[in-house]
């Protein structure tokens, strides 16, 4: 039996992103990814970082050989109980766990009698012995040994006595944590609460954990229900990664527990402020776009669009915000749309540090009408703040005319070269006026938009060297009138950046996708020049 008197108010956080998260379709972590993610998890204060399964594959082997330098979290190796007919000392699966650089180990074992009878085809008593002997063997060699009770809730509902006997075998052998797993994600919160409460009658909740999958969209709710019932460890993943529908999302659980309950999760206020950046860092490593509507950390989590909402938020943020966005490293975001009122515009001015004469009601009215008219045409300023800033500043006469476009032409050439390889080339020609000078330049690129972007900046660089470090980071196209087929109106969103780390997004709309792209590129270049305080020629 485990010893000690743990703090009953302390809830421990166990992250399994580097193993469970890798079960996500399309996710394949490199060693560098694993190191970066583990270090990120350490900065937000999780207690355990599960690194993977030593001996299972070359990536995990190399990762454990180059274990990250964690400051606070324990580094955990994952494995399974000894095999039937083997002793723990001679089991080839347990040996890599013991020999790994991990601080602690977590092993999985069967607790559903159906699996023992059909998958393992061994007596139930032997399965119980396998659990206890494996835990005792590992506990003697590592700081902590934990047991993941696979399919526990299904097993408990089918044969509660056998499922409990499996847990008690691990507990009596000295397991620090016995983790109840809702492996197929099919259990609902009220069942979780009831069953965990019944388990705590025999095993103290300070030794119980919960591991939930999200197949009914209840993984976070189930985890919180288990804590309410007495469990004091939560297993989950960053951004809810995991096989099928994912695992319990620690990015939602951490702030919910810290900011909305009296439980102690060991996460400081400063660590909590890193939550948004760590969540987005994972998306960047995976080359995924971050979810805008993700709770706490999404761009839309504290976004206000309707004019009445913005007015209320301006008076008291708690009206529509359940926490302070800065507490989790996020920020309030005021967007302008065809639902906009004066409050939206004023709030966005403040958010973007735009100092304009807002007492000029005539110009404000004109700006609001222009926003609504342009959104009716297909423009959207929800995610294109740079284009909105230019629209506002132009309405107030603040944006110089840096250049004007006389014409452009873009050509695509698809052909077979002399070695019979298929070649596709794009070439753009632009004619600009900068002051009293007329310039024409030609450039090739990786596609027509890149070629146009290169030609524009090639023509402008001699006059505006500030554009040297500007790069196009992202390009999105949306068909606004799909019923029109190839004649449809398109909206292009372009994200640009520079060497200072700034990123800005602009929008263009046209029935011609290249013309829409030019409009967005033009805004992007103009925004850069304005913020560099470039002087018009």
């Amino acid at each position: 039996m485990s010893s000690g008197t743990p703090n009953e108010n302390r809830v421990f956080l166990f992250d399994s992103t580097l193993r469970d998260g890798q079960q996500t379709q399309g996710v394949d972590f490199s060693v560098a990814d694993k190191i970066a993610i583990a270090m990120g998890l350490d900065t937000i204060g999780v207690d355990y970082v599960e690194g993977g399964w030593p001996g299972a594959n070359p990536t995990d082997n190399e990762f454990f050989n180059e274990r990250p330098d964690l400051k606070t979290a324990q580094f955990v190796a994952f494995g399974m109980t000894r095999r039937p007919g083997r002793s723990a000392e001679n089991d080839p699966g347990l040996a890599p766990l013991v020999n790994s650089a991990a601080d602690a180990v977590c092993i999985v074992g069967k607790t559903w009698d159906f699996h023992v009878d059909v998958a393992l085809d061994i007596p139930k008593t032997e399965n119980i012995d396998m659990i206890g002997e494996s835990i005792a063997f590992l506990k003697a060699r590592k700081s902590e040994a934990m047991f993941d009770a696979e399919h526990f809730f299904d097993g408990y509902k089918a044969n509660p006595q056998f499922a409990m006997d499996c847990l008690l075998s691990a507990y009596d052998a000295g397991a620090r944590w016995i983790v109840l797993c809702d492996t197929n994600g099919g259990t609902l919160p009220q069942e979780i609460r009831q069953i965990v409460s019944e388990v705590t009658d025999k095993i103290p909740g300070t030794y119980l954990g919960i591991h939930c999958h999200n197949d009914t969209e209840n993984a976070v709710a189930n985890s919180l229900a288990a804590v309410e019932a007495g469990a004091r460890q939560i297993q989950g993943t960053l951004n809810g990664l995991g096989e099928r529908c994912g695992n319990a999302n620690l990015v939602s659980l951490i702030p919910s527990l810290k900011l909305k309950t009296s439980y102690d999760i060991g996460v400081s206020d400063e660590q909590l402020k890193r939550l948004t950046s760590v969540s987005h860092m994972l998306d960047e490593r995976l080359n995924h776009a971050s979810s805008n509507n993700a709770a706490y950390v999404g761009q839309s989590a504290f976004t206000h669009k309707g004019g009445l909402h913005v007015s209320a938020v301006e008076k008291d943020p708690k009206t529509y915000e359940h926490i302070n966005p800065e507490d989790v490293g996020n920020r309030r975001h005021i967007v302008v749309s065809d639902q906009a009122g004066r409050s939206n515009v004023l709030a966005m001015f403040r958010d973007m540090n735009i100092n304009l004469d807002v007492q000029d009601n005539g110009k404000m009215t004109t700006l609001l009408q222009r926003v609504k008219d342009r959104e009716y045409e297909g423009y959207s300023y929800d995610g294109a703040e740079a284009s909105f800033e230019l629209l506002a500043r132009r309405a107030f006469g603040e944006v110089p005319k840096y250049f004007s476009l006389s014409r452009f032409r873009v050509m695509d050439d698809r052909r077979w070269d002399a070695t019979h390889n298929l070649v596709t080339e794009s070439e753009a020609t632009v004619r600009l006026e900068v002051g009293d000078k007329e310039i024409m330049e030609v450039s090739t690129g990786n596609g027509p938009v890149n070629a146009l972007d290169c030609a524009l900046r090639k023509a402008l660089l001699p006059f505006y060297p500030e554009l040297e470090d500007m790069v196009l980071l992202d390009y999105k196209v949306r068909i606004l009138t799909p019923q029109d087929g190839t004649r449809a109106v398109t909206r292009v969103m372009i994200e640009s950046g520079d060497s200072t780390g700034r990123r800005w997004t602009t929008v263009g709309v046209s029935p011609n996708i290249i013309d829409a792209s030019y409009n967005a590129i033009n805004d992007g270049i103009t925004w850069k020049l304005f913020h560099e305080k470039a002087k018009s020629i």
Side-chain angles (χ1 to χ4, degrees):
M1 177 181 285
S2 299
S3 59
T5 308
N7 178 3
E8 293 187 359
N9 196 51
R10 177 71 155 89
V11 176
F12 291 79
L13 305 171
F14 184 111
D15 182 273
S16 61
T17 302
L18 302 181
R19 182 185 60 84
D20 275 321
Q22 187 151 292
Q23 305 306 311
T24 309
Q25 186 176 8
V27 171
D28 186 18
F29 295 129
S30 67
V31 174
D33 290 333
K34 287 200 166 197
I35 292 173
I37 294 165
M39 298 300 288
L41 289 164
D42 196 45
T43 67
I44 60 173
V46 301
D47 298 286
Y48 301 95
V49 173
E50 183 187 276
W53 195 323
N57 57 71
T59 299
D60 282 356
N61 291 343
E62 185 179 348
F63 178 51
F64 276 87
N65 288 336
E66 301 180 18
R67 65 160 289 171
D69 183 21
L70 304 179
K71 304 301 182 185
T72 58
Q74 290 203 61
F75 189 46
V76 182
F78 183 84
M80 62 183 294
T81 59
R82 71 161 175 83
R83 299 176 185 179
R86 293 258 190 176
S87 68
E89 290 78 4
N90 295 313
D91 187 84
L94 295 181
L97 304 182
V98 172
N99 296 329
S100 75
D103 305 308
V105 292
C106 181
I107 58 171
V108 64
K110 307 293 186 185
T111 56
W112 189 359
D113 59 353
F114 172 73
H115 284 165
V116 175
D117 294 338
V118 176
L120 296 182
D121 191 21
I122 59 174
K124 295 181 181 63
T125 54
E126 183 173 359
N127 184 73
I128 293 170
D129 291 341
M130 287 162 52
I131 294 169
E133 291 169 11
S134 300
I135 289 292
F137 173 76
L138 294 169
K139 182 179 183 297
R141 293 159 177 81
K142 291 292 183 180
S143 65
E144 292 184 14
M146 298 169 247
F147 175 63
D148 272 7
E150 186 183 30
H151 283 279
F152 172 76
F153 292 95
D154 297 297
Y156 187 87
K157 285 182 275 189
N159 187 338
Q161 185 60 56
F162 173 72
M164 278 302 311
D165 287 344
C166 291
L167 301 189
L168 288 168
S169 180
Y171 181 61
D172 291 338
R176 173 61 189 92
W177 294 105
I178 298 98
V179 183
L180 313 181
C181 301
D182 184 29
T183 309
N184 64 18
T187 312
L188 296 179
Q190 65 270 22
E191 297 176 286
I192 296 281
R193 186 178 291 105
Q194 177 184 343
I195 293 173
V196 173
S197 295
E198 292 173 5
V199 173
T200 59
D201 290 338
K202 297 183 179 179
I203 298 175
T206 50
Y207 292 92
L208 294 177
I210 184 71
H211 179 114
C212 295
H213 287 253
N214 202 35
D215 297 72
T216 64
E217 198 67 39
N218 278 290
V220 168
N222 284 343
S223 300
L224 293 172
V227 170
E228 290 176 4
R232 289 296 179 264
Q233 188 205 82
I234 289 181
Q235 293 193 359
T237 61
L238 280 177
N239 298 344
L241 288 184
E243 64 179 334
R244 304 188 311 277
C245 304
N247 286 41
N249 187 355
L250 285 183
V251 174
S252 299
L253 283 162
I254 288 172
S256 292
L257 287 164
K258 180 170 175 63
L259 300 177
K260 297 179 177 294
T261 75
S262 60
Y263 297 112
D264 173 18
I265 60 170
V267 174
S268 70
D269 293 343
E270 287 305 310
Q271 288 171 322
L272 187 65
K273 290 177 181 177
R274 301 188 186 108
L275 189 68
T276 297
S277 63
V278 170
S279 169
H280 293 175
M281 176 272 293
L282 175 65
D283 292 325
E284 290 291 335
R285 302 294 304 194
L286 297 175
N287 198 26
H288 289 172
S290 296
S291 173
N292 282 341
N293 63 349
Y296 293 104
V297 299
Q299 184 178 1
S300 299
F302 303 98
T303 291
H304 307 282
K305 183 172 181 177
L308 291 175
H309 283 208
V310 174
S311 297
V313 168
E314 288 298 304
K315 294 176 183 176
D316 183 0
K318 292 182 181 178
T319 306
Y320 287 101
E321 292 176 351
H322 62 111
I323 67 164
N324 181 357
E326 287 76 18
D327 289 347
V328 292
N330 208 337
R331 67 182 181 91
R332 184 172 302 120
H333 188 69
I334 305 297
V335 298
V336 174
S337 71
D338 59 2
Q339 300 178 38
R342 182 183 178 90
S343 296
N344 292 65
V345 175
L346 294 179
M348 199 164 184
F349 282 0
R350 286 192 292 273
D351 192 41
M352 301 171 66
N353 294 318
I354 300 176
N355 297 312
L356 296 173
D357 181 12
V358 296
Q359 301 306 316
D360 190 331
N361 291 325
K363 289 182 179 178
M364 283 293 294
T365 300
T366 300
L367 174 59
L368 282 171
Q369 189 59 49
R370 189 172 297 176
V371 169
K372 294 177 181 181
D373 290 344
R374 297 199 80 183
E375 288 216 340
Y376 179 77
E377 296 169 7
Y379 280 83
S380 172
Y381 297 106
D382 279 5
E385 293 178 348
S387 283
F388 169 74
E389 180 183 356
L390 292 175
L391 185 70
R393 290 190 183 279
R394 283 170 177 147
F396 282 78
E398 285 203 354
V399 181
K401 186 175 182 180
Y402 298 105
F403 65 93
S404 61
L405 177 75
S406 300
R407 62 175 297 185
F408 73 77
R409 180 174 60 188
V410 178
M411 298 185 297
D412 281 338
D413 183 21
R414 186 179 186 273
R415 58 187 173 79
W416 297 91
D417 65 13
T419 58
H420 306 290
N421 292 316
L422 182 62
V423 176
T424 303
E425 294 177 331
S426 295
E427 180 181 284
T429 303
V430 297
R431 182 172 291 171
L432 305 176
E433 292 180 1
V434 182
D436 58 358
K437 297 180 174 62
E438 185 174 76
I439 306 97
M440 187 180 76
E441 288 290 353
V442 180
S443 185
T444 58
N446 183 21
V449 176
N450 180 242
L452 179 59
D453 179 47
C454 292
L456 282 168
R457 283 193 281 145
K458 185 177 179 182
L460 292 171
L461 268 173
F463 304 94
Y464 301 113
E466 296 90 344
L467 298 175
E468 180 69 39
D469 65 341
M470 180 178 166
V471 293
L472 189 154
L473 299 175
D474 198 6
Y475 177 86
K476 297 183 178 71
V477 177
R478 181 178 177 186
I479 305 301
L480 300 179
T481 55
Q483 67 275 11
D484 291 337
T486 55
R487 296 181 293 109
V489 174
T490 59
R491 181 168 67 213
V492 169
M493 304 277 282
I494 291 180
E495 184 179 20
S496 304
D498 61 21
S499 60
T500 68
R502 290 183 303 190
R503 301 166 78 105
W504 60 95
T505 303
T506 52
V507 61
V509 173
S510 173
N512 184 307
I513 189 172
I514 306 301
D515 184 50
S517 301
Y518 168 77
N519 292 332
I521 292 171
N522 182 15
D523 267 7
I525 290 173
T526 302
W527 188 93
K528 165 76 169 173
L529 292 174
F530 181 83
H531 280 270
E532 294 287 352
K533 297 181 172 55
K535 293 184 178 180
S536 59
I537 305 301

